[in-house]
Amino acid sequence: MTISRLKRKATKGLLLLVLALTYVFLFLPLVHIGIAAFARNFTYPYPPLWTLETVANMFANNLYRTSLLNSFILGLGSAVIATVFSTIATFGLLRYAGRHVAKFVLLFMAPLFVAEVLLGISSSILGGFFLQIPGNLISAMLANSIHCFSFALLIMATQLYRYDWRLDEAAMVFGASPAQTFFEVTLPLIWPGLLSAFIISLILSFNNLEISFYLLGATPTLPSMAWGALRHGIKPELYALATVVNIVVFVILAVIFVLMKTGSVKFGYRPERESSIV
Amino acid sequence: MTHKTKAVLLLGIPTAYLVLLFILPIISLIVLSFWKTESYHLVYEWNIQNYVTVLTEGAYLTFLIRSIVVSVIVSVLATAIGWIAAYAIWTYGGRFRLLLALAFAVPFFTGEVLRVIALQGLLGPVGLINGTLMKWGFAPVRALMYSNVASGIGLFYLYLPIAVTVIYLSLLNLDRRLIDAAKIFGAGGFRSFIEITFPLNLVGTLIAFALCFIPCMSATLSPRFLGGPNGTLYGMAMAQQFGESGTWALGAAMGVILFLFSLLAVVLIASCLDLRRTGFTGFGRN
């Protein structure tokens, strides 16, 4: 018994070690950006000579605020479009596709398997060459939403494909209208799927470069500014801006952590569903 | 509303959306690839010269083969590490599972450009790793400086979070009681993993692999800033046709070839899949 317990402990230790190393690897560049943002010697800030100048410069410059706002609008817009269409598509696929389901899955998932650069380039060919529409925030939003749509659909379909549609039918039998059924039965049950699809879409398009680059025209967003700045070398202000965004994200995660620790939110965690055998 | 009208509406609206914003652009890309560009102007003359150029000129073939090799290695590694990370979160994450998975999305809030530049700051000749090594009197690791290894590390860094997320989503849908049942009947941890957990998540694993492989094939940033002189990859060469070189038609032909190649990869992956073994029993409970 002790040997198997030892083995189990070793496996657990090893897996958690790899997980921890993965986090370190992922966050190391972000920490580098964070340190560089507050350092006078920002290209090689080891050890950093601290300064707050870049942060002050960043807040003083209007362009950074505009591009942050544009990025946010772009992300929010395509997340809304993607979530609405992918919700419709999920319902269609799971309930009404019947024997054509494979064809529709293929069509709806296809954008995932086309490289982002290609999506950007081909949309800009259609818009720029054939329709003669100059790139703007809306076209970038629409093109981004396509990629997000498939991701959102993937997330929702994996969470909803075991959804019990008899619940909807039960509501209808007891006289609920279709709208009532949706808002009082379906939506409360599927909202975690909807929310995660929305968040992932927002994250994907907020800082997308490869699709947006070809469609934005002259509209500045965070990634297009970073791309433009490369010609003269990255400015530390961009690091500072990214760090501000990261700090906000970490604060949100910390709040979620505290709320989970105290047990005020569960986010779908159900202890009764945990494995009973260790 | 009848069942039929609902079906037409719920499937027709997304289909129309995709046809307008996805199929039409791809068609325009294909049309453009059969024209030619001369001194920054499009010439509307049907020809297949662009394809001949891409498929016969040594440089483009080198980029394509190099891209395939790098992408396969990076995607296999990302899927493997992604599995370990997702499995560790799923098994030991307890109630903080969602938070641990969300943490993998955090790097996406920092732009790709900045992350690649930061990696350059860590791996490059004056970066943290080599800088520290030199300070202590060691020789710097040449493999990390502007090489295919460095650009591979960059790609791995960029697409690992996607692999983790997809495999984690797949694991979320696995019924843990199946593993419990296997253990009750005497299977060890390893055996229950090989015979239950892994095959039942094979679809997720393959999707994760494909979602790393395809962006790796078309990557522009990582090879450009980390790859050095011999690090040009296919996607980077393609993007250059639309930027500096102004040869859009050639770039479009490269895009079509890349598209066909991704399609081939997906079909190959899908064809070695036995859906029933992966636990797929149809959609929904009607």
Side-chain angles (χ1 to χ4, degrees):
Chain A
M1 206 55 207
T2 42
I3 287 178
S4 79
R5 187 185 284 171
L6 211 68
K7 239 166 103 183
R8 213 163 33 235
K9 276 216 164 131
T11 319
K12 182 177 178 178
L14 201 66
L15 288 177
L16 287 179
L17 180 72
V18 175
L19 181 65
L21 286 178
T22 320
Y23 281 123
V24 170
F25 175 61
L26 277 183
F27 289 114
L28 206 57
L30 303 190
V31 173
H32 171 88
I33 291 174
I35 295 173
F38 295 99
R40 218 185 300 273
N41 48 344
F42 70 93
T43 43
Y44 184 69
Y46 306 104
L49 304 168
W50 301 107
T51 173
L52 282 173
E53 209 176 304
T54 39
V55 184
N57 283 348
M58 176 198 79
F59 280 114
N61 194 330
N62 245 331
L63 195 55
Y64 294 109
R65 214 173 309 148
T66 319
S67 59
L68 180 63
L69 190 67
N70 279 340
S71 272
F72 203 66
I73 293 171
L74 174 65
L76 221 57
S78 45
V80 169
I81 299 170
T83 312
V84 168
F85 280 107
S86 63
T87 311
I88 298 174
T90 312
F91 276 78
L93 273 184
L94 296 185
R95 294 219 71 184
Y96 299 101
R99 64 198 163 82
H100 299 294
V101 71
K103 284 173 221 158
F104 281 108
V105 168
L106 205 65
L107 173 69
F108 292 166
M109 289 298 177
L112 273 190
F113 299 104
V114 173
E116 285 186 17
V117 191
L118 272 186
L119 273 180
I121 289 174
S122 50
S123 311
S124 83
I125 291 172
L126 178 70
F129 281 126
F130 291 100
L131 303 176
Q132 300 288 339
I133 306 166
N136 54 51
L137 205 54
I138 305 287
S139 61
M141 209 183 267
L142 287 173
N144 267 302
S145 78
I146 285 286
H147 192 246
C148 298
F149 164 83
S150 298
F151 241 107
L153 185 67
L154 184 71
I155 289 164
M156 270 204 280
T158 47
Q159 296 191 27
L160 290 190
Y161 85 99
R162 292 216 188 92
Y163 182 77
D164 194 343
W165 298 103
R166 287 173 300 188
L167 294 171
D168 291 41
E169 276 149 28
M172 302 279 240
V173 168
F174 287 107
S177 69
Q180 241 179 336
T181 313
F182 180 76
F183 285 108
E184 289 181 23
V185 178
T186 323
L187 197 60
L189 286 169
I190 66 169
W191 76 266
L194 272 177
L195 187 69
S196 42
F198 181 82
I199 292 175
I200 295 286
S201 306
L202 177 70
I203 292 173
L204 283 179
S205 46
F206 172 74
N207 241 322
N208 182 285
L209 174 73
E210 301 203 312
I211 298 176
S212 316
F213 180 70
Y214 296 94
L215 291 158
L216 272 171
T219 322
T221 62
L222 285 184
S224 76
M225 258 190 78
W227 178 257
L230 279 177
R231 219 170 302 155
H232 328 280
I234 282 276
K235 288 214 180 102
E237 283 88 347
L238 281 168
Y239 283 180
L241 193 52
T243 307
V244 170
V245 173
N246 280 337
I247 288 172
V248 172
V249 171
F250 274 112
V251 167
I252 293 172
L253 288 186
V255 168
I256 296 179
F257 176 76
V258 170
L259 288 178
M260 284 177 124
K261 187 98 188 159
T262 54
S264 14
V265 282
K266 291 202 168 69
F267 289 110
Y269 170 70
R270 275 166 287 190
E272 68 275 13
R273 285 235 188 141
E274 292 299 297
S275 165
S276 45
I277 298 170
V278 189
Chain B
M1 265 198 284
T2 62
H3 190 272
K4 180 107 191 191
T5 36
K6 270 190 194 167
V8 169
L9 271 181
L10 288 177
L11 289 165
I13 293 173
T15 307
Y17 163 74
L18 281 178
V19 166
L20 271 179
L21 295 171
F22 175 64
I23 309 278
L24 270 184
I26 297 285
I27 291 175
S28 13
L29 179 81
I30 295 172
V31 169
L32 183 67
S33 75
F34 286 104
W35 290 344
K36 54 182 184 181
T37 27
E38 267 167 17
S39 54
Y40 294 91
H41 281 291
L42 259 188
V43 181
Y44 307 102
E45 192 180 281
W46 294 87
N47 69 90
I48 53 161
Q49 190 50 46
N50 298 315
Y51 289 94
V52 176
T53 311
V54 177
L55 292 176
T56 53
E57 207 156 289
Y60 294 117
L61 281 183
T62 315
F63 298 157
L64 187 62
I65 292 165
R66 189 187 286 151
S67 278
I68 294 170
V69 173
V70 170
S71 307
V72 167
I73 295 172
V74 168
S75 319
V76 166
L77 283 177
T79 315
I81 302 289
W83 244 107
I84 297 174
Y87 188 79
I89 294 175
W90 183 67
T91 318
Y92 308 115
R95 64 173 135 159
F96 297 113
R97 236 175 255 153
L98 179 91
L99 200 65
L100 290 170
L102 269 183
F104 274 96
V106 171
F108 282 101
F109 279 101
T110 308
E112 224 171 283
V113 177
L114 288 186
R115 277 182 290 156
V116 170
I117 296 297
L119 273 177
Q120 202 183 23
L122 293 173
L123 301 174
V126 290
L128 181 60
I129 295 171
N130 283 326
T132 317
L133 278 177
M134 285 197 284
K135 209 178 215 170
W136 290 341
F138 294 105
V141 186
R142 294 224 169 263
L144 292 181
M145 297 195 272
Y146 301 113
S147 66
N148 282 312
V149 177
S151 101
I153 294 176
L155 292 172
F156 177 76
Y157 179 84
L158 290 177
Y159 303 117
L160 178 68
I162 294 180
V164 176
T165 314
V166 172
I167 294 169
Y168 179 71
L169 272 177
S170 170
L171 279 171
L172 270 187
N173 271 313
L174 182 68
D175 192 341
R176 256 166 223 273
R177 288 171 301 183
L178 293 173
I179 301 167
D180 291 350
K183 288 197 173 152
I184 288 171
F185 287 109
F190 184 69
R191 179 135 184 240
S192 69
F193 179 82
I194 289 295
E195 290 198 21
I196 295 180
T197 318
F198 190 75
L200 289 183
N201 288 292
L202 191 59
V203 176
T205 311
L206 292 178
I207 291 181
F209 179 85
L211 290 189
C212 286
F213 182 77
I214 287 163
C216 279
M217 281 299 293
S218 69
T220 51
L221 283 173
S222 184
R224 187 166 177 151
F225 293 106
L226 298 168
N230 285 322
T232 308
L233 295 185
Y234 190 79
M236 179 184 160
M238 181 175 79
Q240 269 165 2
Q241 312 301 327
F242 289 92
E244 293 97 322
S245 332
T247 41
W248 306 297
L250 183 65
M254 291 180 79
V256 173
I257 289 171
L258 181 62
F259 176 64
L260 291 178
F261 196 84
S262 320
L263 208 64
L264 184 75
V266 171
V267 169
L268 273 181
I269 289 173
S271 65
C272 51
L273 198 66
D274 176 9
L275 272 183
R276 289 184 65 83
R277 178 64 184 104
T278 62
F280 182 79
T281 50
F283 291 97
R285 237 190 257 159
N286 278 305

